[in-house]
Amino acid sequence: MPFLERPDGCRLYHEVQGRGEPLVLLEGLGGDIAGWRRNIPRLAGELRVIAFDHRGNGRSSAPDEPMTMSTFVDDALALLDHVGIERAHLYGQSFGGMVAQELALTSPNRVRSLILACTHPGVRHAAPARATVPKGRPWEALYSERFLREHPEEVAEDLRLGTPQAPRMARRQWEAMQGFDSFERLPSLRVPTLVLHGSEDRTLHPDNARILADRIPGARLALLEGAGHVYHAEQPEAADAAVLGFVRGVG
């Protein structure tokens, strides 16, 4: 099994597919590599895709100890070193988008470009969510109402294939997110950036994408009409086309 063992004993599960420019996938809070399964084949047709599970997610270790966003940045940098990559395109979704921002701000020499998807610059400046979901079914907030209604089989598949996250790890990642704030630092970014968001995101309001695009010099904004928070599962073809088109332009 492809694991990278960190100095603290945490083992990070990762997969590498394809050839070409390196693209690192940074998953969301509690997500795992299976959540990218509709995207990796197409992305890997043009790029060298490096996907890994954050500590506490999927098949990686779940150490119950204090974590900051720097913890996840250090893991990502260690993985880049492990697979022999000096600079990569970073594609971060939700929590992973915060990791991508922090990495680009603190180690810009390791970043070729940023794709910040359905994320925000920290809770202090984030636009509030615009909807609540039924009690006991928090996962429904990840999808647009239309997708939930018209594609129940795909939602069921996502739930079946995903690896449940231990509540203690959800808490640790949530704590790391509370300490994250990039808002004042974003204007210092000097890497090509695509901000991607679903127009019907009920978890993180689409206004967060506008905040990021306004704060990052030269950033491009792309809204996927009708898509929810897991836009890449609802509209994989459109999401992948946006990412590949952007990376081609950077290259």
Side-chain angles (χ1 to χ4, degrees):
M1 297 288 281
F3 285 96
L4 165 64
E5 185 163 343
R6 302 287 286 123
D8 62 358
C10 179
R11 302 177 74 231
L12 301 175
Y13 177 78
H14 60 282
E15 298 178 0
V16 181
Q17 298 186 38
R19 297 181 179 180
E21 295 264 344
L23 176 74
V24 178
L25 303 182
L26 298 166
E27 63 204 15
L29 188 75
D32 60 7
I33 293 174
W36 298 99
R37 69 188 181 284
R38 298 186 180 102
N39 313 102
I40 289 176
R42 185 174 183 190
L43 296 175
E46 294 190 28
L47 305 169
R48 185 184 181 194
V49 177
I50 300 94
F52 76 104
D53 290 332
H54 295 305
R55 58 175 64 212
N57 288 5
R59 284 175 274 188
S60 291
S61 301
D64 187 11
E65 56 191 27
M67 301 174 187
T68 67
M69 202 58 67
S70 295
T71 306
F72 298 93
V73 167
D74 290 345
D75 285 345
L77 289 171
L79 183 64
L80 286 178
D81 292 340
H82 180 69
V83 297
I85 294 173
E86 181 62 31
R87 298 174 68 221
H89 303 276
L90 302 183
Y91 181 3
Q93 192 267 343
S94 195
F95 178 82
M98 299 173 213
V99 178
Q101 290 173 65
E102 191 66 28
L103 197 158
L105 286 163
T106 56
S107 299
N109 59 312
R110 306 300 301 269
V111 182
R112 186 151 175 75
S113 77
L114 284 174
I115 299 106
L116 303 178
C118 289
T119 189
H120 62 59
V123 294
R124 295 172 185 82
H125 300 280
R130 60 185 175 188
T132 57
V133 294
K135 185 177 181 180
R137 301 199 298 274
W139 48 267
E140 288 194 0
L142 299 176
Y143 300 89
S144 65
E145 292 180 338
R146 181 174 180 177
F147 193 83
L148 280 171
R149 183 174 63 252
E150 296 183 356
H151 300 279
E153 70 290 344
E154 293 187 33
V155 174
E157 180 183 75
D158 290 345
L159 294 174
R160 184 177 71 255
L161 295 180
T163 303
Q165 185 185 43
R168 59 188 172 82
M169 291 313 304
R171 184 185 71 252
R172 292 300 190 186
Q173 292 183 358
W174 181 86
E175 290 169 354
M177 189 169 64
Q178 301 313 297
F180 168 73
D181 189 348
S182 66
F183 186 82
E184 297 296 341
R185 297 177 291 157
L186 288 176
S188 69
L189 281 174
R190 293 294 183 270
V191 295
T193 302
L194 171 67
V195 180
L196 187 61
H197 214 108
S199 69
E200 301 304 313
D201 189 339
R202 298 189 291 159
T203 298
L204 294 180
H205 198 287
D207 281 352
N208 288 294
R210 300 181 180 95
I211 292 170
L212 291 170
D214 287 344
R215 298 288 294 172
I216 301 172
R220 292 171 48 189
L221 174 62
L223 292 178
L224 296 181
E225 289 298 325
H229 191 62
V230 287
Y231 64 92
H232 56 304
E234 293 189 24
Q235 298 184 17
E237 295 84 3
D240 297 344
V243 171
L244 289 171
F246 171 72
V247 172
R248 290 186 203 114
V250 173

